[in-house]
Amino acid sequence: MTLTLAEMAVEVLTTADGCAKTALSHQHANAWFAARAGQTDPIEIGRADPPMHPARPEAPQLVDPRDVPKRKPGSPAGRIALLHAVAHIELNAVDLHWDIIARFADVPLPPGFYDDWVKAAQEESKHFNLVCDCLEEMGSHYGALPAHAGMWRAAEDTADDFMGRLAVVPMVLEARGLDVTPGMIKLFRKAGATQAVEALETIYGEEVGHVSYGPKSRKINKPLS
Ligand SMILES: [Fe+2]
Ligand SMILES: [Fe+2]
């Protein structure tokens, strides 16, 4: 039986392992776009009951941001710590995008809304994988260091507030990422870390698009027929 888009979103949210989560995210995004292109049967938006918190892997250990160890950004350990934090943000972003689809499935929205958010979810999945590859190339992996425990806070605070969620995800969380990425690219370029530079440039280019998906988005304002 074909899953609805909301059910697909819940599957992603309830998958703990990062690689499994992003693989499922890609698979469901591809299914959505194949249906939208008329290559397969249409996918209903449906209804689902997303968990309040997405499933997370056993590692990294989630700690208060004050307890995330600080390392000199100029050192190899510092660069690994920085990329580890980015991987954590990207994994959280995968869940944020699917969560908005599942949690607000009862809000009537045009198909273009889902195209935007499914595409962004797929790009976040790619970002997580790109950063994980960089970590592995540097002899580390996602889960090797503690990570920020408060990442889901904004999602919790806006669980009943669709417009609030639409404001906070692109215009605060994602915009913040955009602000810090150029500085990170410079830092990794200086260190000759080509793979990380390329990954961060890809991420930066795609995040510019995500920041445009706020409440003022042309597609949200379009009246529904
Ligand atoms: Fe991203
Ligand atoms: Fe994003």
Side-chain angles (χ1 to χ4, degrees):
M1 203 186 76
T2 318
L3 295 178
T4 64
L5 188 66
E7 286 167 340
M8 290 178 180
V10 169
E11 267 199 3
V12 175
L13 289 163
T14 52
T15 298
D17 177 72
C19 289
K21 187 190 283 290
T22 53
L24 206 53
S25 176
H26 275 298
Q27 183 191 317
H28 289 335
N30 288 337
W32 170 256
F33 288 115
R36 290 280 287 143
Q39 293 156 359
T40 55
D41 288 341
I43 293 173
E44 302 282 323
I45 303 305
R47 293 281 185 278
D49 193 12
M52 192 45 85
H53 293 266
R56 283 278 175 265
E58 268 172 42
Q61 185 198 355
L62 301 181
V63 298
D64 188 284
R66 282 170 302 192
D67 299 328
V68 176
K70 304 259 179 301
R71 292 180 174 89
K72 280 202 187 105
S75 67
R79 288 190 289 278
I80 287 174
L82 210 50
L83 283 181
H84 194 276
V86 175
H88 188 59
I89 290 167
E90 297 294 352
L91 191 64
N92 199 67
V94 174
D95 284 323
L96 275 174
H97 285 78
W98 286 110
D99 188 83
I100 206 165
I101 291 170
R103 195 163 307 278
F104 302 101
D106 56 335
V107 179
L109 293 160
F113 173 85
Y114 297 101
D115 291 342
D116 280 351
W117 287 80
V118 170
K119 178 169 173 269
Q122 189 167 26
E123 288 172 351
E124 303 299 7
S125 308
K126 181 169 98 184
H127 300 170
F128 175 76
N129 296 140
L130 280 173
V131 179
C132 284
D133 289 347
C134 294
L135 280 172
E136 275 160 37
E137 199 247 347
M138 292 168 146
S140 189
H141 62 275
Y142 179 64
L145 299 171
H148 193 317
M151 283 276 161
W152 200 248
R153 182 86 158 278
E156 259 183 294
D157 290 348
T158 54
D160 300 312
D161 178 3
F162 179 57
M163 291 310 268
R165 178 69 69 87
L166 274 187
V168 87
V169 175
M171 299 197 300
V172 179
L173 302 179
E174 305 237 86
R176 215 179 267 161
L178 268 190
D179 291 343
V180 299
T181 310
M184 285 178 53
I185 293 173
K186 224 189 238 175
L187 193 142
F188 282 94
R189 184 169 288 130
K190 206 170 144 198
T194 322
Q195 193 177 345
V197 170
E198 283 171 11
L200 290 168
E201 281 176 341
T202 302
I203 290 172
Y204 187 74
E206 292 178 348
E207 292 299 340
V208 170
H210 300 182
V211 172
S212 69
Y213 299 164
K216 293 227 167 85
S217 161
R218 166 180 56 85
K219 293 182 178 105
I220 305 286
N221 289 336
K222 207 158 61 179
L224 296 170
S225 51

